[in-house]
CSV table of all heavy atoms in Angstrom, one decimal:
chain,number,residue,atom,x,y,z
A,138,ASP,N,95.3,122.1,-7.4
A,138,ASP,CA,94.7,122.2,-6.1
A,138,ASP,C,93.9,123.6,-6.0
A,138,ASP,O,93.8,124.3,-7.0
A,138,ASP,CB,95.8,122.2,-5.0
A,138,ASP,CG,96.9,123.1,-5.3
A,138,ASP,OD1,96.7,124.2,-5.9
A,138,ASP,OD2,98.0,122.9,-4.8
A,139,LEU,N,93.3,123.8,-4.8
A,139,LEU,CA,92.5,125.0,-4.6
A,139,LEU,C,93.2,126.3,-4.8
A,139,LEU,O,92.8,127.2,-5.5
A,139,LEU,CB,91.8,125.0,-3.2
A,139,LEU,CG,90.9,126.2,-2.9
A,139,LEU,CD1,89.8,126.4,-3.9
A,139,LEU,CD2,90.4,126.0,-1.4
A,140,PRO,N,94.5,126.4,-4.2
A,140,PRO,CA,95.2,127.7,-4.5
A,140,PRO,C,95.5,127.9,-6.0
A,140,PRO,O,95.4,129.0,-6.5
A,140,PRO,CB,96.5,127.5,-3.7
A,140,PRO,CG,96.1,126.5,-2.6
A,140,PRO,CD,95.1,125.6,-3.2
A,141,SER,N,95.8,126.8,-6.7
A,141,SER,CA,96.0,126.9,-8.2
A,141,SER,C,94.8,127.4,-8.9
A,141,SER,O,94.8,128.2,-9.8
A,141,SER,CB,96.4,125.6,-8.8
A,141,SER,OG,97.6,125.2,-8.2
A,142,TYR,N,93.6,126.8,-8.5
A,142,TYR,CA,92.3,127.3,-9.1
A,142,TYR,C,92.0,128.7,-8.8
A,142,TYR,O,91.6,129.5,-9.6
A,142,TYR,CB,91.2,126.4,-8.6
A,142,TYR,CG,89.9,126.9,-9.2
A,142,TYR,CD1,89.6,126.8,-10.6
A,142,TYR,CD2,88.9,127.6,-8.4
A,142,TYR,CE1,88.5,127.3,-11.1
A,142,TYR,CE2,87.8,128.1,-9.0
A,142,TYR,CZ,87.6,127.9,-10.4
A,142,TYR,OH,86.4,128.5,-10.9
A,143,GLN,N,92.3,129.1,-7.5
A,143,GLN,CA,92.1,130.5,-7.2
A,143,GLN,C,92.9,131.5,-8.0
A,143,GLN,O,92.4,132.5,-8.6
A,143,GLN,CB,92.3,130.8,-5.7
A,143,GLN,CG,92.0,132.2,-5.3
A,143,GLN,CD,92.2,132.4,-3.8
A,143,GLN,OE1,92.5,131.5,-3.0
A,143,GLN,NE2,92.1,133.7,-3.4
A,144,ARG,N,94.1,131.1,-8.3
A,144,ARG,CA,95.0,132.0,-9.1
A,144,ARG,C,94.5,131.9,-10.6
A,144,ARG,O,94.5,133.0,-11.2
A,144,ARG,CB,96.5,131.4,-9.1
A,144,ARG,CG,97.2,131.8,-7.8
A,144,ARG,CD,98.7,131.5,-7.9
A,144,ARG,NE,99.0,130.1,-8.2
A,144,ARG,CZ,99.0,129.2,-7.2
A,144,ARG,NH1,98.8,129.5,-6.0
A,144,ARG,NH2,99.3,127.9,-7.5
A,145,PHE,N,94.1,130.8,-11.1
A,145,PHE,CA,93.5,130.6,-12.4
A,145,PHE,C,92.2,131.5,-12.5
A,145,PHE,O,92.1,132.2,-13.5
A,145,PHE,CB,93.2,129.2,-12.7
A,145,PHE,CG,92.6,128.9,-14.0
A,145,PHE,CD1,93.4,129.0,-15.2
A,145,PHE,CD2,91.3,128.6,-14.1
A,145,PHE,CE1,92.8,128.7,-16.4
A,145,PHE,CE2,90.7,128.3,-15.4
A,145,PHE,CZ,91.5,128.4,-16.5
A,146,TYR,N,91.4,131.4,-11.6
A,146,TYR,CA,90.1,132.2,-11.5
A,146,TYR,C,90.4,133.7,-11.6
A,146,TYR,O,89.8,134.4,-12.4
A,146,TYR,CB,89.4,131.9,-10.2
A,146,TYR,CG,88.0,132.5,-10.1
A,146,TYR,CD1,86.9,131.9,-10.6
A,146,TYR,CD2,87.9,133.8,-9.6
A,146,TYR,CE1,85.6,132.6,-10.5
A,146,TYR,CE2,86.7,134.5,-9.5
A,146,TYR,CZ,85.6,133.8,-10.0
A,146,TYR,OH,84.3,134.4,-9.9
A,147,GLU,N,91.3,134.1,-10.8
A,147,GLU,CA,91.7,135.6,-10.7
A,147,GLU,C,92.5,136.1,-11.9
A,147,GLU,O,92.4,137.2,-12.3
A,147,GLU,CB,92.4,135.9,-9.4
A,147,GLU,CG,91.5,135.7,-8.2
A,147,GLU,CD,92.3,135.8,-6.9
A,147,GLU,OE1,93.5,135.8,-6.9
A,147,GLU,OE2,91.6,135.8,-5.8
A,148,SER,N,93.3,135.2,-12.5
A,148,SER,CA,94.1,135.7,-13.6
A,148,SER,C,93.6,135.4,-15.0
A,148,SER,O,94.0,136.1,-15.9
A,148,SER,CB,95.5,135.1,-13.5
A,148,SER,OG,95.5,133.8,-13.6
A,149,VAL,N,92.7,134.4,-15.1
A,149,VAL,CA,92.2,134.0,-16.4
A,149,VAL,C,90.6,134.2,-16.5
A,149,VAL,O,90.1,134.9,-17.3
A,149,VAL,CB,92.6,132.6,-16.7
A,149,VAL,CG1,92.0,132.1,-18.1
A,149,VAL,CG2,94.1,132.5,-16.8
A,150,LEU,N,89.9,133.4,-15.7
A,150,LEU,CA,88.5,133.3,-15.9
A,150,LEU,C,87.7,134.6,-15.8
A,150,LEU,O,86.9,134.9,-16.6
A,150,LEU,CB,87.9,132.3,-14.8
A,150,LEU,CG,88.3,130.9,-15.0
A,150,LEU,CD1,87.6,130.0,-13.9
A,150,LEU,CD2,87.8,130.3,-16.4
A,151,ILE,N,88.1,135.5,-14.8
A,151,ILE,CA,87.3,136.7,-14.7
A,151,ILE,C,87.6,137.7,-15.8
A,151,ILE,O,86.9,138.7,-16.0
A,151,ILE,CB,87.5,137.4,-13.3
A,151,ILE,CG1,89.0,137.8,-13.1
A,151,ILE,CG2,87.1,136.5,-12.2
A,151,ILE,CD1,89.2,138.6,-11.8
A,152,HIS,N,88.7,137.4,-16.6
A,152,HIS,CA,89.1,138.3,-17.7
A,152,HIS,C,88.6,137.8,-19.1
A,152,HIS,O,88.9,138.4,-20.1
A,152,HIS,CB,90.6,138.5,-17.7
A,152,HIS,CG,91.1,139.1,-16.5
A,152,HIS,ND1,90.9,140.4,-16.1
A,152,HIS,CD2,91.8,138.6,-15.4
A,152,HIS,CE1,91.4,140.7,-15.0
A,152,HIS,NE2,92.0,139.6,-14.5
A,153,LEU,N,87.8,136.7,-19.1
A,153,LEU,CA,87.3,136.2,-20.3
A,153,LEU,C,86.3,137.2,-21.0
A,153,LEU,O,85.6,137.9,-20.2
A,153,LEU,CB,86.5,134.9,-20.1
A,153,LEU,CG,87.4,133.6,-19.8
A,153,LEU,CD1,86.6,132.5,-19.4
A,153,LEU,CD2,88.2,133.3,-21.1
A,154,PRO,N,86.3,137.4,-22.3
A,154,PRO,CA,85.5,138.4,-22.9
A,154,PRO,C,84.0,138.2,-22.7
A,154,PRO,O,83.6,137.0,-22.9
A,154,PRO,CB,85.9,138.2,-24.4
A,154,PRO,CG,86.5,136.9,-24.5
A,154,PRO,CD,87.1,136.5,-23.2
A,155,GLY,N,83.4,139.2,-22.3
A,155,GLY,CA,81.9,139.2,-22.2
A,155,GLY,C,81.4,138.5,-21.0
A,155,GLY,O,80.1,138.3,-20.9
A,156,VAL,N,82.2,138.2,-20.0
A,156,VAL,CA,81.7,137.5,-18.8
A,156,VAL,C,81.0,138.5,-17.9
A,156,VAL,O,81.5,139.5,-17.5
A,156,VAL,CB,82.8,136.8,-18.0
A,156,VAL,CG1,82.4,136.4,-16.6
A,156,VAL,CG2,83.4,135.6,-18.8
A,157,ARG,N,79.8,138.1,-17.5
A,157,ARG,CA,79.0,138.9,-16.5
A,157,ARG,C,79.1,138.3,-15.1
A,157,ARG,O,79.3,139.0,-14.1
A,157,ARG,CB,77.5,139.0,-16.9
A,157,ARG,CG,76.7,139.8,-15.8
A,157,ARG,CD,75.3,140.0,-16.2
A,157,ARG,NE,74.6,138.7,-15.8
A,157,ARG,CZ,73.4,138.3,-16.3
A,157,ARG,NH1,72.8,139.0,-17.2
A,157,ARG,NH2,72.9,137.2,-15.9
A,158,SER,N,79.0,136.9,-15.1
A,158,SER,CA,79.2,136.3,-13.7
A,158,SER,C,79.7,134.8,-13.9
A,158,SER,O,79.6,134.2,-15.0
A,158,SER,CB,77.9,136.3,-13.0
A,158,SER,OG,77.0,135.4,-13.7
A,159,LEU,N,80.4,134.4,-12.9
A,159,LEU,CA,80.9,133.0,-12.8
A,159,LEU,C,80.5,132.4,-11.5
A,159,LEU,O,80.5,133.1,-10.4
A,159,LEU,CB,82.5,133.1,-12.9
A,159,LEU,CG,83.1,133.6,-14.1
A,159,LEU,CD1,84.6,133.8,-13.9
A,159,LEU,CD2,82.8,132.7,-15.3
A,160,ASN,N,80.1,131.1,-11.5
A,160,ASN,CA,79.8,130.4,-10.3
A,160,ASN,C,80.6,129.1,-10.4
A,160,ASN,O,80.4,128.3,-11.3
A,160,ASN,CB,78.3,130.2,-10.3
A,160,ASN,CG,77.8,129.5,-9.0
A,160,ASN,OD1,78.6,128.8,-8.4
A,160,ASN,ND2,76.6,129.8,-8.6
A,161,SER,N,81.4,128.9,-9.3
A,161,SER,CA,82.3,127.7,-9.4
A,161,SER,C,81.7,126.6,-8.4
A,161,SER,O,81.4,126.9,-7.2
A,161,SER,CB,83.7,128.1,-8.9
A,161,SER,OG,84.2,129.0,-9.7
A,162,THR,N,81.7,125.4,-8.9
A,162,THR,CA,81.3,124.3,-8.1
A,162,THR,C,82.4,123.2,-8.1
A,162,THR,O,82.8,122.8,-9.1
A,162,THR,CB,80.0,123.6,-8.6
A,162,THR,OG1,79.0,124.6,-8.6
A,162,THR,CG2,79.5,122.4,-7.8
A,163,ILE,N,82.9,122.9,-6.9
A,163,ILE,CA,84.0,122.0,-6.8
A,163,ILE,C,83.5,120.6,-6.9
A,163,ILE,O,82.6,120.2,-6.2
A,163,ILE,CB,84.8,122.2,-5.5
A,163,ILE,CG1,85.4,123.6,-5.4
A,163,ILE,CG2,85.9,121.2,-5.3
A,163,ILE,CD1,85.9,124.0,-4.1
A,164,VAL,N,84.2,119.8,-7.7
A,164,VAL,CA,83.8,118.4,-7.9
A,164,VAL,C,84.3,117.5,-6.7
A,164,VAL,O,85.5,117.6,-6.4
A,164,VAL,CB,84.3,117.8,-9.2
A,164,VAL,CG1,84.0,116.3,-9.3
A,164,VAL,CG2,83.7,118.6,-10.4
A,165,MET,N,83.4,116.8,-6.0
A,165,MET,CA,83.8,116.0,-4.9
A,165,MET,C,84.6,114.7,-5.4
A,165,MET,O,85.7,114.4,-4.9
A,165,MET,CB,82.6,115.6,-4.1
A,165,MET,CG,82.9,114.8,-2.8
A,165,MET,SD,81.5,114.2,-1.9
A,165,MET,CE,80.2,115.2,-2.3
């Protein structure tokens, strides 16, 4: 769900090596 994704984003995605920016689009 959305809260799970937010935790995943904050704990995993933003810490990926070499990331400058991320843009998330939720699938309808």
Side-chain angles (χ1 to χ4, degrees):
D138 51 29
L139 179 58
S141 298
Y142 177 70
Q143 183 176 352
R144 285 190 300 277
F145 178 74
Y146 182 93
E147 294 171 348
S148 65
V149 177
L150 291 178
I151 64 172
H152 299 290
L153 287 168
V156 169
R157 181 178 78 199
S158 67
L159 298 168
N160 185 330
S161 301
T162 301
I163 298 170
V164 174
M165 185 184 335

